Structures are given as structure tokens and as C-alpha cells.
Amino acid sequence: GIQVEQSPPDLILQEGANSTLRCNFSDSVNNLQWFHQNPWGQLINLFYIPSGTKQNGRLSATTVATERYSLLYISSSQTTDSGVYFCAVAPYSSASKIIFGSGTRLSIRP
Amino acid sequence: DAGVTQSPTHLIKTRGQHVTLRCSPISGHKSVSWYQQVLGQGPQFIFQYYEKEERGRGNFPDRFSARQFPNYSSELNVNALLLGDSALYLCASSWGPDDTEAFFGQGTRLTVV
């Protein structure tokens, strides 16, 4: 089955810093989403981005489907950005099943 | 508009017991999927239902079953609970079966003792 790898696994930054999170996937996908999981477990939708680039405030994402990767950019980090960021894909071979990466744990220090 | 709602939010069960978890999708969404998330890992796909039919099943034992009702709400049932079933169970709602954005509920945290 498709493999989804996220890097780095952990990231510790000072408030105000910028960061780039990466998601690599091993096969063609129907769609790709980025989520932020808060300390209470809620998965918050950040981007639905099968291809191209999107921006929402301090966050932006780019997916290059032909090269099988996606990047999530966070600028001017705030302590509320802390948490786990997940990339999730729906493979062409089984589009009903969303496969999650293992996540990047981001800690923003004041 | 209400998002995806799950009940209960927390649950403690004893090994060998049965549990039923419930999910109401976003109004207008016809697809519901279930995921299990154990501590330190990403969510793992269990089932997807669309228009009351099972569309996909993950690598989980037959102790796990689910169904979707005419109002598109869904139940996840787990029989003969094991300690290893302790996890956060997440429900996702989407408009269609494929190619559409999924939205998640707050989850049910199940502890098996």
C-alpha cells in the first residue's frame, strides 16, 4: 500500500520563527489534506490541496503531485501553533481510504 | 452549522465487553468514515460508509463492525474488547465517497481496563 512519510518528526522553535513541514508519498493520490491536531485530539482542517499552492493567513501549502510531495509553511510562529501536524492522502487505488502520515510534532517556545 | 458530532466523548470499558460509538455527520454529507488513533501515531482507517453501504475496510479484525443509518449517522461497534483497543476513535464526514474533503469530529477516547 501507499506509504506517507512526514519530516521532521519533531520540531522545536522560538515564537516568531518560520518552519517548513514535508510530506512524501509513494504513489499517485486523489487528494491530500493537512491537519493540525490540538491537545484535545481534534483534527482541524488546514488545507485540501491535491495539487498547486494555497495560502491562509500565516499558513501556506504546496503540493507537487508529479513528484509526490507536499510542503506546509508556517510563518511567524505563535505558541498556539503548537501541536501535531498530519498529512493525509487518498490513493487512486483506494480513494475511499485516507492514509495518514505519522505526523510532525511542533513545539513553539515563547 | 454543526460540525461532525461524536458520542460519548470518553468511555471506560472492561476487557471482553462490547462498545458502541456514535457519529453524526455534517448536514448534507453522505459519507462517514471511522479511524483509530493510538497514542503517538497517526489515525488508522477502519471503515467507510457511503449511502448506507460499506465502501472500504481497513486491516481490523471482525470484532469491529459498523453501519450507517438512513439519516447518514453511523455507529461503530467493537466486540470482545482488548486492552489494545484503547485509543481515540475518530469519525470523519464528507460529501461524497472519493475526491472530497474530510472533516473530523472531536473523537471518542476509549479506555479498556
Side-chain angles (χ1 to χ4, degrees), chain A residues 1 12 15 28 43 46 92 102:
Chain A
I12 302 174
E15 200 168 22
S28 300
L43 282 168
L46 298 177
Y92 271 122
S102 53

Side-chain angles (χ1 to χ4, degrees), chain B:
Chain B
D1 283 341
V4 181
T5 57
Q6 293 185 243
S7 62
T9 54
H10 294 84
L11 202 51
I12 299 175
K13 289 287 191 177
T14 304
R15 275 178 300 176
Q17 283 189 316
H18 163 91
V19 68
T20 297
L21 310 181
R22 295 178 174 84
C23 172
S24 292
I26 292 170
S27 177
H29 285 192
K30 299 180 179 180
S31 174
V32 170
S33 300
W34 289 95
Y35 294 79
Q36 180 196 64
Q37 186 178 21
V38 298
L39 201 61
Q41 296 181 19
Q44 300 290 313
F45 173 79
I46 310 176
F47 288 109
Q48 190 209 32
Y49 277 78
Y50 175 70
E51 291 281 16
K52 303 182 289 296
E53 304 235 337
E54 183 183 300
R55 288 260 309 175
R57 174 185 284 254
N59 188 22
F60 280 81
D62 292 343
R63 299 184 296 108
F64 288 75
S65 64
R67 55 180 175 168
Q68 187 177 32
F69 299 100
N71 67 353
Y72 302 110
S73 67
S74 178
E75 283 182 353
L76 175 70
N77 295 284
V78 187
N79 292 324
L81 285 166
L82 303 174
L83 296 180
D85 295 331
S86 296
L88 179 67
Y89 288 85
L90 294 161
C91 172
S93 155
S94 58
W95 180 83
D98 308 323
D99 285 349
T100 57
E101 187 174 3
F103 296 86
F104 283 79
Q106 82 282 8
T108 294
R109 194 166 296 278
L110 173 66
T111 302
V112 182
V113 298

